[in-house]
Amino acid sequence: MTAMQDQEAVAEAKFQEVSESLNAKANVVPSCWFFQDMQGNNQGPYIGPQMQLWFQSNYFNGATMVIPVYEPFESNPGVPHDASFEPLESVYPLLASNPELTFVTAPNGTGALDRARAERDAVLQENARAREEDEASAKAYAEARTARAAAREKEKADAAKRAAAAKESKKALIEQLRAERKATGAPA
């Protein structure tokens, strides 16, 4: 497998993993949440009703970075190592029309999936561009080799023509000298 194929396989596997994870949690209400405060510090875990109360008190807005956690709250989970904070409006895209459902229903956002898809597509596009460049380079190299081979063949043909012309010229000169000697009566 080439390096590009490895990159594509990793990107596709990540996309599939995120897709399967979202599908598995499609109707599951998170047990708790983490958020990032204004200074960028991670806060939590907090249960959904507490987060909803803060949201209704305008402590949060759509840009607040959050992570839903599905492990039991009693286990005091930390920030999941395989997750990344997302804007609340990405986790709950219908935030404005259904604010009362925020934090107490299953998230319906696809931000993580969209990011994984974008990362996969970027890898595929970059590799396609690299393949096109490789093909163009290979074509240019082949054309240059063909042109060099043709130039060598032309040079050989020109050299052969010059050699034949020189031989004919020498032969003609010899014939002319013989004719002149014969005309003057000199020994050939």
Side-chain angles (χ1 to χ4, degrees):
M1 204 178 235
T2 68
M4 281 193 275
Q5 289 170 326
D6 287 344
Q7 289 174 334
E8 291 170 1
V10 167
E12 182 63 30
K14 182 176 179 183
F15 173 74
Q16 291 301 326
E17 179 184 329
V18 169
S19 178
E20 290 168 11
S21 174
L22 286 175
N23 286 338
K25 299 171 186 169
N27 295 310
V28 178
V29 177
S31 63
C32 57
W33 294 82
F34 283 87
F35 71 93
Q36 287 183 336
D37 62 23
M38 297 295 203
Q39 292 74 36
N41 298 316
N42 297 343
Q43 302 293 332
Y46 296 102
I47 59 173
Q50 178 65 55
M51 296 287 285
Q52 185 184 46
L53 179 65
W54 287 332
F55 176 70
Q56 290 171 342
S57 300
N58 294 319
Y59 184 72
F60 299 134
N61 62 38
T64 302
M65 303 298 282
V66 298
I67 292 181
V69 178
Y70 296 89
E71 296 175 29
F73 180 74
E74 296 77 27
S75 69
N76 195 20
V79 174
H81 68 280
D82 60 344
S84 58
F85 283 89
E86 298 182 54
L88 180 57
E89 63 194 5
S90 174
V91 177
Y92 287 105
L94 302 176
L95 187 64
S97 61
N98 294 310
E100 70 280 357
L101 301 179
T102 306
F103 297 112
V104 293
T105 60
N108 57 2
T110 58
L113 184 63
D114 293 342
R115 279 193 308 281
R117 180 182 293 115
E119 289 171 12
R120 179 196 63 186
D121 292 350
V123 167
L124 294 175
Q125 288 173 355
E126 177 62 26
N127 287 349
R129 186 193 57 73
R131 283 187 187 99
E132 288 173 5
E133 287 177 1
D134 289 349
E135 289 170 7
S137 293
K139 182 179 177 183
Y141 177 76
E143 289 172 353
R145 277 186 71 181
T146 301
R148 285 193 305 274
R152 282 192 301 272
E153 289 301 315
K154 184 178 182 322
E155 182 60 36
K156 283 182 189 178
D158 290 349
K161 285 180 187 177
R162 287 191 302 273
K167 187 175 181 180
E168 286 299 316
S169 179
K170 183 178 176 182
K171 190 175 177 182
L173 184 58
I174 291 172
E175 288 300 318
Q176 182 183 3
L177 287 174
R178 283 189 182 149
E180 285 177 7
R181 284 188 184 161
K182 193 173 190 182
T184 59

